[in-house]
Amino acid sequence: MSARPPGFRIEVPELAFGNDVLLQNFDASFTGGGWTCLLGPSGSGKTTLLRLAADLQQGGRAIADDGMPLAGRVAYMAQTDLLLPWLSAEANVLLGWRLRGHGRVGAAARARARALLAEVGLGDQAGLLPQALSGGMRQRVALARTLMEDRPVVLMDEPFSALDAITRYRLQDLAAGLLAGRTVLQVTHDPLEALRLGQEILVLKGRPARLAERIHLSSPPPRPADAPELTGLHAKLLAALAGSPAPERRAAA
Amino acid sequence: MMASLVRGLAVMLGLLLLWQLLVWGTGVPRYLLPEPLAVFEALWLQGPLILHHALLTLAEIVLGLVLGLLLGGLMALVLASSSLLSRWLLPLVIASQAVPVFALAPLLVLWLGYGMASKVAMAVLVIFFPVTVSFHEGLRRVERGWIEQARVMDAGAASILWHIRLPAALPAFGAGARIAAVVAPIGAVIGEWVGSAGGLGYLMLHANARMQTDLLFAALLVLCLMAMALWLIVDRLLRRLIFWQPDTLHAA
């Protein structure tokens, strides 16, 4: 990375799906070089915020705080693995290189992809097609593909959701190590995961959605799950999430 | 593989037996329905003649198939490349199919002559539509997440087309190509019926006029075998090309 990873702001005047106003006069900023976790009930607009940051969603915009466009500096990991079924795990990890037309993928890039696959525990599966992999393995390939992009801003939508508890714990450590110092925005359903990884934890709630809670953690991630400071915050987060239930989405939405 | 071959042979033998029984039972004259043995006799005695015409027809079919797949594939790409072109051209493609293609056969013979060109053109005409429509449909229905992900990865439109849309649409193209492999022989033979100096269609017409029904059946048999072989080859090639798509219908 050449320069310091930029922070960014997301501004949304109004974003509605049909009559359902999801976001209104929404404005949130994300610290450059920091790891932010977005929590909130299903349908609270977490994924929409991530898509706005990735420039995949109309209705709002994301502005980098260094005045340069955010496009081209973002890696995005969607909720589904989006692996291409005709490419091997390794070729999927190298997809960005292939798409940007770097011609033949160089030996260095190939070695990096192999190393990343080995780090997510798929060293022996590099040559397999996605259909031969389990759901958790596929998600790990998608994670490796995201890390391979080597971008200053990383957006991840529930990147560990399909993993078993042990693998999840290990990969949280891995991601925290590899992405340290970058601007990370991660959507998660798991308060404990947010507490392990986030330097900033945002709780999104209501309709239109607003930031119901903002917690700042100063100790560096990844934090051990039994760290004493987390216990109190865990209860606080659960209360914030459960507290006043968000209004039900209309059936038509 | 072995089992399917045995199955095919068994069905064939059963049909031949039925045919023989029908001839014996009804006593139809030979010029209406020859017995299987007579057909095989004709096949044996007239072998070189049939082979000569069969090779001609085969060349027309294969040329028509290759050209039809190429043109249909190109048309689908053009339609997919711009919404403006698609709005103007797609109605034209569909309208072209509203003209009964077989009614055009005499015209094609008039324009392109009695030689191979008119038959190849005929085959191309019947292939073009299913290939274009199915491939175009495939190019349109690519998983949106793949495209979005590629856009975040800074891929240009050409790169997305080449690396994502094309392979993703291959199964749909395969469906069109399989139909094409089946209808290509029909196009070629119709072309031969309307006007030609060679080919299995010509031979059949000729034999029919001279009441050489056994020769007609022999030619028909060869045509069937050719069409089946063509389909098998195309199917096998497509399966190899689309290796990642498992057959879930009859999976054990």
Side-chain angles (χ1 to χ4, degrees):
Chain A
M1 271 179 297
S2 47
R4 201 184 68 84
F8 61 93
R9 273 175 60 200
I10 298 180
E11 289 177 356
V12 188
E14 177 171 292
L15 198 158
F17 295 110
N19 288 327
D20 193 12
V21 179
L22 188 61
L23 296 165
Q24 200 166 40
N25 298 326
F26 184 91
D27 190 334
S29 54
F30 304 92
T31 326
W35 190 307
T36 308
C37 284
L38 260 180
L39 279 168
S42 297
S44 57
K46 305 186 297 292
T47 296
T48 304
L49 277 185
L50 213 62
R51 290 174 56 82
L52 279 164
D55 197 19
L56 295 173
Q57 176 72 53
Q58 306 285 313
R61 60 199 190 119
I63 313 140
D65 62 8
D66 57 3
M68 295 197 293
L70 207 51
R73 292 192 285 174
V74 172
Y76 171 66
M77 178 175 173
Q79 213 163 358
T80 48
D81 55 67
L82 296 181
L83 299 184
L84 298 177
W86 55 87
L87 294 182
S88 70
E90 185 188 306
N92 263 295
V93 173
L94 288 164
L95 181 66
W97 283 69
R98 215 173 273 258
L99 284 173
R100 285 185 290 274
H102 290 307
R104 288 186 65 83
V105 178
R110 199 173 292 274
R112 172 87 182 126
R114 291 245 165 199
L116 278 171
L117 277 171
E119 288 206 79
V120 299
L122 295 174
D124 296 333
Q125 281 85 10
L128 294 183
L129 289 180
Q131 57 178 278
L133 303 174
S134 74
M137 290 166 140
R138 295 168 61 110
Q139 194 170 36
R140 276 138 75 191
V141 176
L143 181 65
R145 182 188 61 207
T146 312
L147 297 173
M148 183 75 203
E149 284 296 279
D150 195 23
R151 298 282 177 98
V153 178
V154 180
L155 311 166
M156 298 192 287
D157 201 344
E158 298 185 38
F160 310 111
S161 58
L163 307 178
D164 63 90
I166 308 298
T167 313
R168 178 182 309 179
Y169 201 83
R170 214 170 55 68
L171 288 193
Q172 284 168 356
D173 287 351
L174 175 74
L178 289 174
L179 296 177
R182 298 176 200 234
T183 309
V184 179
L185 179 55
Q186 181 202 347
V187 168
T188 175
H189 269 302
D190 180 1
L192 196 61
E193 180 170 286
L195 286 168
R196 285 202 74 215
L197 296 173
Q199 289 161 302
E200 196 104 54
I201 300 174
L202 306 182
V203 177
L204 206 61
K205 250 169 69 169
R207 180 135 318 206
R210 63 201 163 73
L211 292 178
E213 184 76 64
R214 181 162 205 148
I215 294 174
H216 185 79
L217 288 143
S218 44
S219 62
R223 307 175 188 93
D226 55 358
E229 55 167 326
L230 301 192
T231 334
L233 288 172
H234 194 206
K236 189 179 170 189
L237 273 179
L238 282 177
L241 281 166
S244 52
E248 281 298 308
R249 292 187 81 155
R250 256 156 296 182
Chain B
M1 186 63 205
M2 207 53 211
S4 71
L5 211 66
V6 170
R7 244 192 328 269
L9 274 176
V11 170
M12 198 92 125
L13 279 176
L15 283 176
L16 283 176
L17 196 68
L18 214 65
W19 178 2
Q20 184 72 55
L21 286 176
L22 194 71
V23 174
W24 276 340
T26 56
V28 281
R30 187 183 165 126
Y31 64 86
L32 281 185
L33 182 64
E35 36 181 1
L37 268 179
V39 172
F40 285 115
E41 198 187 353
L43 199 59
W44 179 250
L45 291 176
Q46 313 264 37
L49 179 75
I50 295 176
L51 185 70
H52 166 76
H53 289 286
L55 284 179
L56 202 63
T57 302
L58 185 66
E60 291 162 4
I61 294 174
V62 170
L63 264 175
L65 189 61
V66 170
L67 274 176
L69 288 178
L70 274 177
L71 287 176
L74 269 177
M75 183 51 128
L77 282 176
V78 167
L79 289 176
S81 68
S82 119
S83 61
L84 182 76
L85 279 175
S86 152
R87 266 201 302 279
W88 284 89
L89 282 178
L90 198 57
L92 206 67
V93 172
I94 292 165
S96 81
Q97 210 56 22
V99 181
V101 183
F102 300 132
L104 289 179
L107 206 57
L108 286 178
V109 173
L110 187 67
W111 286 346
L112 302 172
Y114 279 80
M116 257 171 81
S118 56
K119 287 79 200 170
V120 172
M122 194 69 206
V124 168
L125 270 181
V126 292
I127 288 168
F128 180 73
F129 187 72
V131 173
T132 304
V133 168
S134 58
F135 191 33
H136 180 240
E137 197 68 13
L139 288 168
R140 281 175 54 202
R141 299 206 182 283
V142 176
E143 156 95 49
R144 211 174 58 156
W146 290 343
I147 309 287
E148 291 181 344
Q149 169 180 266
R151 289 223 319 265
V152 177
M153 288 171 163
D154 303 333
S159 177
I160 290 180
L161 178 68
W162 177 250
H163 288 289
I164 295 180
R165 276 193 200 276
L166 266 183
L170 270 184
F173 175 78
R178 286 189 175 92
I179 298 177
V182 176
V183 296
I186 303 177
V189 169
I190 299 259
E192 289 172 357
W193 279 350
V194 172
S196 65
L200 285 178
Y202 164 83
L203 185 65
M204 283 157 73
L205 218 57
H206 206 68
N208 200 23
R210 296 174 173 199
M211 296 254 189
Q212 289 176 315
T213 318
D214 47 0
L215 179 60
L216 186 149
F217 269 82
L220 191 62
L221 190 69
V222 171
L223 185 66
C224 284
L225 287 176
M226 259 165 40
M228 278 163 61
L230 187 71
W231 194 86
L232 278 176
I233 291 169
V234 168
D235 182 64
R236 194 56 61 83
L237 283 177
L238 286 170
R239 274 172 203 273
R240 191 160 300 180
L241 190 67
I242 312 166
F243 57 90
W244 66 90
Q245 188 146 80
D247 188 345
T248 53
L249 197 55
H250 299 297

